[in-house]
Amino acid sequence: MSFIATPQMMSFSEPLLLSSGEKLDHYRLTYETYGKLNAAKDNAVLICHALNASHHVAGVYPDKEDSVGWWDTMIGPGRPVDTNQFFVIGINNLGSCFGSTGPMDINPITQNIWGADFPVVTVEDWVHSQEKLVNALGINRLAAVMGGSLGGMQALSWAMEFPEKVAHSVVIASAPNLNAENIAFNEVARRAIVNDPEFHGGHFYEHKVIPQRGLKIARMVGHITYLSDDVMNSKFGRTLKNEKIQFSTQNVEFQIESYLRYQGEKFSEYFDANTYLLITRALDYFDPAKDYENNLTRALEKTKANFLVISFKTDWRFSPARSREIVKALIENKRGVTYAEIDAPHGHDAFLLEDDRYTSLVRAYFKNISKKIDSTVSE
Amino acid sequence: MSFIATPQMMSFSEPLLLSSGEKLDHYRLTYETYGKLNAAKDNAVLICHALNASHHVAGVYPDKEDSVGWWDTMIGPGRPVDTNQFFVIGINNLGSCFGSTGPMDINPITQNIWGADFPVVTVEDWVHSQEKLVNALGINRLAAVMGGSLGGMQALSWAMEFPEKVAHSVVIASAPNLNAENIAFNEVARRAIVNDPEFHGGHFYEHKVIPQRGLKIARMVGHITYLSDDVMNSKFGRTLKNEKIQFSTQNVEFQIESYLRYQGEKFSEYFDANTYLLITRALDYFDPAKDYENNLTRALEKTKANFLVISFKTDWRFSPARSREIVKALIENKRGVTYAEIDAPHGHDAFLLEDDRYTSLVRAYFKNISKKIDSTVSE
C-alpha cells in the first residue's frame, strides 16, 4: 500500500495570456504534493503529465480502490524520486478534465459550459501556468522538472521558458516535436471524436450525451501506438477469444480486439472529448525550434539546466532518434546531459513501467541532486 | 496512354462451399484479361488484388479519366509482366463492391440486399472461386499467380490449395499471417465503421445512407500504415496548411491532416462498408500454418510451385521479417525460391510504385518463365 494523497486547488485571478493571443482571466490548478519543502526551498520537483494523466502522480485516495497514482512506482518514500528527500508537486494541466480549469467548466463571460470554445492551450501555456503555482508555493527554483512523453516536452519547455528556475530537466520518452506520423494518428483520433454525431460541435454537455463512440476509437488508436509490435505479439499474438473462429466481422475474434475494445470503453467513460482534442493539439504544436529556423541547438541555447534524457529502444511513437536530437542540441550548447537508451520491450508505455535499468538510473540521478541540496541547506 | 480494358463477368451456379460452412449457391465473378492465351494454354498469369483494389489491374476504360488500372505500371505490353507474352487475368474477389457477388447484391433467399448478412469469406474461399474461373477459361495450370499484400496471401494460398495448377507463385509485400498490431489496426477501422450510427448493423442500404464517417476513419488509419515514417516526413513533415497556426482543434492545421482527410473522403464515396469489414477479416483470418501446429514449413510442404518473394525494407505493415519466414519455410522444403528485399523508402505502398530495382526483378523473373513457355509451345 502506498501513502494517502490529497488533491489541492489554487485559484489565480491575474489573467494568463495564451500563445494563441487569447487569455484566461481566472483559472484554477489542481495539484498534489508529496514530501516536505525544505527550509531552503530548493528540493521541489515538478512532475508534468502526459495525454490522459493528471496531478495524481503518486499515493492513493482513502477508500478508493484502483486509485493509485500514475507514476507511483517512480515517486514516493524510498522510490527513485524519494519523497523523503524531495518535495514533489503533481499538477493537472489547464484544459484537462481532472480538476484544473477546462472545457467542462463555466465560461464566466457566457455563463455556459466552455466546451469546444475553451481556448486552445500549448505546452508553453501550461508551463507558464505551472510557474505561477510554483511561485505561489514560495519556490524560486525547482530542483527538477520531470515528465514522460508530452510531460517530457513540458520539462524541456520549462528549461527554455524559465532557465533560471530549473536546476535539472528530466525528459523521458519524448521528442523535440511530433513527426508527421504522430500528428496523423492524433488527427485520426480527433476526427473520430469530432465526427461522432454526439459530439455536437463540442457542445455535447448541453445535450446530455457524450461522444463515446469517437472516444473509444481515439483510445484504441492511441493504445496501438503506445505498445511495441513485439510486446503486442507476445501479450496477444493471434490468440483467439473463443476456442474457434466464429466467422464474424462484428464480434470479437482475437484477444487483441477484446483488449482494445475494453480500453476504449473504459476511457470513454472518464475522459472528456474536448480535453482530448486540446491535449493532442498541444502535442502537435510543440516545436520550440520553429522560431529558430528549425535549429534546435539555437532554441536550446537559452537553457541553463542539467538534463537527464531517457528513451526506450522499442518506442516507435517517440523513438530514441528523436531523443538523440535533443541530446545533440544540448551537447552542442555544452549543457550537462546524461542520456540513456533503455532496451525495454514495451514501446512507449515503458516510461510508465518498472524496469530496473530505468528506475536505477533515475534513482542515481536524483541521489546526486539530493546531495547538492543537502549541502545547499547546510550552508 | 495505356490500352483499353474491358470488364467481363462469369456466373457460376454450382454452389461454392465456404470455409465458414456456409455456401453461395450462385455467384458471379468480374474479371478482365489482357494479352492472348496461347495454344498450349500455359501462359496465363492470375493477378490477385489487395484490400481496396479490383479486377481492373491494367489498361484504361474508354472516355473515363483516372481509370487506369491499379497495377498498370507492372502489367501490359512491354511491362515487367508483358502481355505480349502472357495472358493476364485480373479478378475481383467475392464480397467486393466492384462487380463480383458481394454485400450490395440481392440475397436470393430473402430477396433483400445481403448487407452484413453476406457470408464471411476467407483467402482460401477466394482462391477456390478463382480456380473455377480459371478452369472455365480452359486453363489447367497457371504460369503464375501474383499479388501484393493481401494479394500475396492469395498467391501463397494458390500454391497450397492447388499445387498442380501453379507453376510460379509471386508473393510481394506479404506475410504468412497478420501479427497482433495489424489485426489491431483492422479492428479500429472496423469499429469506426460498425459504430457509425449510419451503419445500421450493416443494413444501411435500406435506409439510403452510407456510414461515411466510419469509412473515412478506416481509410485514414489504413493510409498511415501504408506509408513509411520517412516518406511521411519527407512528403509532409510538419508543413502547415496555412501560413500560420490557427489554434484550432477541429480545422486542418498540418498538410498531413489535409491529405488524410482527402483520402478518407474520396474512399468513403466509392467503397462499400460491408466489403471493408469482409476484406479486413479475410486478412485477419489468413494463417495457413495454424492447421500444422503453427509450423509454416509443414504447411508449405504440399506446394510444388517456384516462388518469387519480394519485400520492402520500410514496410512496417508487412515487414521483410515476415517475408523471410515464408522464404525460410520454402527453403526448408527445398522449393525453388528467389527472394529480394528492396530498399525502397515508401513503406507498404512500395509494391504499387515504380522502382527500377523492383520492376527489373519482376521483369527478369517473368522473362525466365516465358522462355519455358515458348519451349513448351514448340514441343
Side-chain angles (χ1 to χ4, degrees):
Chain A
M1 270 304 283
S2 196
F3 59 94
I4 299 296
T6 312
Q8 302 173 65
M9 278 188 196
M10 197 183 283
S11 290
F12 300 83
S13 49
E14 195 193 324
L16 184 74
L17 184 65
L18 305 173
S19 310
S20 64
E22 289 196 63
K23 63 182 169 44
L24 276 175
D25 286 328
H26 305 273
Y27 58 96
R28 98 194 151 263
L29 294 173
T30 300
Y31 66 104
E32 288 181 7
T33 68
Y34 324 108
K36 282 185 185 148
L37 189 61
N38 64 9
K41 298 188 175 179
D42 66 355
N43 71 333
V45 175
L46 179 70
I47 307 293
C48 303
H49 71 75
L51 211 151
N52 64 320
S54 72
H55 52 279
H56 184 41
V57 177
V60 291
Y61 296 146
D63 305 324
K64 267 199 187 171
E65 275 182 57
D66 291 340
S67 71
V68 65
W70 58 270
W71 223 354
D72 191 76
T73 52
M74 188 62 93
I75 287 137
R79 296 282 155 87
V81 180
D82 190 346
T83 51
N84 292 326
Q85 301 285 335
F86 293 100
F87 175 67
V88 176
I89 310 162
I91 190 164
N92 189 218
N93 287 339
L94 281 175
S96 173
C97 49
F98 296 121
S100 294
T101 303
M104 295 163 84
D105 284 292
I106 300 291
N107 176 349
I109 294 164
T110 64
Q111 291 297 319
N112 294 321
I113 298 176
W114 280 102
D117 297 332
F118 192 83
V120 170
V121 282
T122 64
V123 167
E124 288 77 11
D125 294 335
W126 286 334
V127 167
H128 293 159
S129 66
Q130 289 161 3
E131 192 266 344
K132 307 282 183 203
L133 183 124
V134 166
N135 221 28
L137 293 174
I139 298 155
N140 284 324
R141 189 163 183 253
L142 291 162
V145 186
M146 177 176 178
S149 190
L150 177 57
M153 288 176 167
Q154 292 164 66
L156 189 61
S157 181
W158 257 96
M160 282 180 277
E161 298 296 309
F162 300 106
E164 310 291 347
K165 297 195 168 192
V166 186
H168 294 267
S169 171
V170 181
V171 180
I172 303 173
S174 196
N177 61 31
L178 290 194
N179 64 15
E181 192 182 76
N182 273 320
I183 296 173
F185 280 122
N186 282 346
E187 175 68 358
V188 169
R190 279 190 298 264
R191 293 322 287 165
I193 290 170
V194 169
N195 285 338
D196 184 328
E198 303 201 307
F199 181 65
H200 294 287
H203 297 284
F204 50 89
Y205 316 95
E206 304 158 21
H207 296 80
K208 309 225 181 295
V209 292
I210 289 170
Q212 268 194 292
R213 296 184 190 89
L215 279 164
K216 280 182 207 170
I217 297 295
R219 185 58 166 178
M220 288 172 78
V221 172
H223 247 283
I224 299 175
T225 68
Y226 305 148
L227 299 180
S228 72
D229 199 14
D230 284 353
V231 140
M232 231 190 235
N233 283 329
S234 64
K235 261 177 105 165
F236 304 103
R238 296 182 50 82
T239 310
L240 295 173
K241 174 113 194 289
N242 304 296
E243 211 179 311
K244 275 180 160 186
I245 281 174
Q246 309 295 307
F247 294 98
S248 165
T249 58
Q250 296 185 40
N251 297 338
V252 164
E253 287 279 28
F254 296 91
Q255 289 288 6
I256 180 68
E257 297 172 341
S258 180
Y259 170 78
L260 288 177
R261 288 193 194 190
Y262 172 75
Q263 294 294 339
E265 190 71 37
K266 219 172 53 170
F267 186 71
S268 73
E269 286 164 8
Y270 76 82
F271 208 84
D272 176 64
N274 284 308
T275 292
Y276 203 89
L277 303 188
L278 286 171
I279 297 197
T280 54
R281 255 317 184 213
L283 265 166
D284 291 353
Y285 287 149
F286 184 68
D287 190 11
K290 123 182 140 289
D291 297 331
Y292 298 86
E293 291 161 329
N294 298 317
N295 185 327
L296 187 62
T297 303
R298 280 184 47 215
L300 291 176
E301 205 179 297
K302 58 185 151 182
T303 62
K304 296 192 171 175
N306 287 299
F307 288 82
L308 171 61
V309 180
I310 300 176
S311 70
F312 300 93
K313 283 203 175 155
T314 55
D315 183 351
W316 57 281
R317 194 173 162 100
F318 291 88
S319 71
R322 305 309 316 276
S323 282
R324 273 183 248 126
E325 289 177 35
I326 299 172
V327 171
K328 179 171 172 285
L330 289 170
I331 289 171
E332 285 175 349
N333 280 305
K334 300 194 168 54
R335 295 292 168 274
V337 52
T338 301
Y339 175 59
E341 255 174 59
I342 310 286
D343 194 11
H346 308 94
H348 189 56
D349 260 1
F351 90 85
L352 293 166
L353 302 173
E354 278 195 277
D355 180 308
D356 191 48
R357 296 161 296 182
Y358 165 43
T359 45
S360 309
L361 175 61
V362 175
R363 185 182 292 277
Y365 194 85
F366 274 86
K367 197 156 201 150
N368 267 335
I369 302 181
S370 73
K371 277 179 202 159
K372 284 168 207 157
I373 285 165
D374 286 346
S375 66
T376 313
V377 171
S378 60
E379 266 167 15
Chain B
M1 270 304 284
S2 197
F3 59 94
I4 299 295
T6 313
Q8 302 174 65
M9 278 187 194
M10 196 182 283
S11 289
F12 300 84
S13 49
E14 196 192 324
L16 184 74
L17 185 66
L18 304 173
S19 310
S20 63
E22 290 196 63
K23 63 180 168 49
L24 275 175
D25 286 328
H26 306 273
Y27 59 96
R28 96 191 155 267
L29 294 173
T30 300
Y31 65 104
E32 289 180 9
T33 68
Y34 325 108
K36 282 184 184 148
L37 189 61
N38 65 9
K41 297 187 175 180
D42 66 355
N43 70 334
V45 176
L46 178 70
I47 307 294
C48 303
H49 70 75
L51 211 152
N52 65 320
S54 73
H55 52 279
H56 183 40
V57 178
V60 291
Y61 296 146
D63 305 323
K64 268 200 187 170
E65 276 180 58
D66 292 341
S67 71
V68 64
W70 59 270
W71 223 354
D72 191 77
T73 53
M74 187 63 93
I75 288 136
R79 297 281 154 88
V81 181
D82 189 347
T83 51
N84 293 325
Q85 302 284 335
F86 292 100
F87 175 67
V88 175
I89 309 161
I91 190 164
N92 188 218
N93 287 338
L94 282 174
S96 173
C97 49
F98 296 120
S100 293
T101 304
M104 292 164 86
D105 283 294
I106 300 290
N107 176 350
I109 293 163
T110 64
Q111 292 299 317
N112 295 322
I113 297 176
W114 280 103
D117 297 333
F118 192 84
V120 170
V121 283
T122 64
V123 167
E124 288 78 11
D125 295 335
W126 287 334
V127 167
H128 293 159
S129 66
Q130 289 162 2
E131 192 267 344
K132 307 284 183 201
L133 182 124
V134 166
N135 221 27
L137 293 174
I139 299 156
N140 284 325
R141 189 163 182 255
L142 290 162
V145 187
M146 177 175 177
S149 190
L150 177 58
M153 288 176 168
Q154 293 163 66
L156 189 62
S157 181
W158 257 95
M160 283 181 275
E161 298 295 310
F162 301 106
E164 310 290 347
K165 299 195 167 193
V166 186
H168 294 268
S169 171
V170 181
V171 180
I172 304 172
S174 197
N177 62 30
L178 290 195
N179 64 15
E181 191 183 77
N182 272 321
I183 297 173
F185 280 122
N186 282 345
E187 174 69 357
V188 168
R190 280 190 298 264
R191 295 320 288 165
I193 290 170
V194 169
N195 285 338
D196 184 328
E198 303 200 308
F199 182 66
H200 293 287
H203 296 285
F204 51 89
Y205 317 95
E206 304 159 20
H207 296 81
K208 309 222 181 299
V209 291
I210 289 170
Q212 269 195 291
R213 295 184 191 88
L215 279 165
K216 280 182 208 171
I217 297 295
R219 185 58 165 177
M220 287 171 79
V221 173
H223 247 283
I224 298 175
T225 69
Y226 304 148
L227 298 181
S228 71
D229 199 15
D230 284 353
V231 139
M232 231 191 237
N233 282 329
S234 64
K235 262 177 105 166
F236 304 102
R238 296 183 49 83
T239 311
L240 295 174
K241 175 114 193 291
N242 303 295
E243 211 180 309
K244 275 180 161 184
I245 281 174
Q246 309 295 306
F247 294 98
S248 165
T249 58
Q250 297 185 39
N251 296 336
V252 164
E253 287 278 30
F254 295 91
Q255 289 289 5
I256 179 68
E257 298 172 341
S258 180
Y259 170 78
L260 288 176
R261 288 194 193 188
Y262 173 75
Q263 294 294 340
E265 190 71 39
K266 219 172 57 172
F267 186 72
S268 74
E269 285 164 8
Y270 76 82
F271 208 84
D272 176 63
N274 284 307
T275 292
Y276 203 89
L277 302 187
L278 287 170
I279 297 196
T280 54
R281 257 314 185 215
L283 264 166
D284 291 353
Y285 287 149
F286 183 68
D287 189 12
K290 125 184 138 286
D291 296 331
Y292 299 87
E293 292 161 329
N294 298 318
N295 184 327
L296 187 63
T297 303
R298 281 183 49 215
L300 292 177
E301 205 179 297
K302 56 184 152 182
T303 63
K304 298 192 170 175
N306 287 300
F307 288 82
L308 171 60
V309 180
I310 299 175
S311 69
F312 300 93
K313 282 201 176 157
T314 54
D315 184 350
W316 58 280
R317 194 173 162 101
F318 291 88
S319 71
R322 305 308 316 274
S323 281
R324 273 183 248 128
E325 289 176 36
I326 299 172
V327 172
K328 179 172 173 284
L330 290 169
I331 290 172
E332 284 174 350
N333 281 304
K334 299 192 171 53
R335 295 293 168 272
V337 53
T338 301
Y339 175 58
E341 255 173 58
I342 310 286
D343 193 11
H346 309 94
H348 189 56
D349 260 1
F351 90 86
L352 294 166
L353 302 174
E354 279 195 277
D355 181 307
D356 191 49
R357 295 161 296 183
Y358 166 43
T359 46
S360 308
L361 175 62
V362 175
R363 185 182 293 276
Y365 194 86
F366 274 86
K367 197 155 200 151
N368 267 337
I369 303 180
S370 73
K371 277 179 202 158
K372 283 167 207 159
I373 286 166
D374 286 345
S375 67
T376 314
V377 172
S378 61
E379 264 166 17

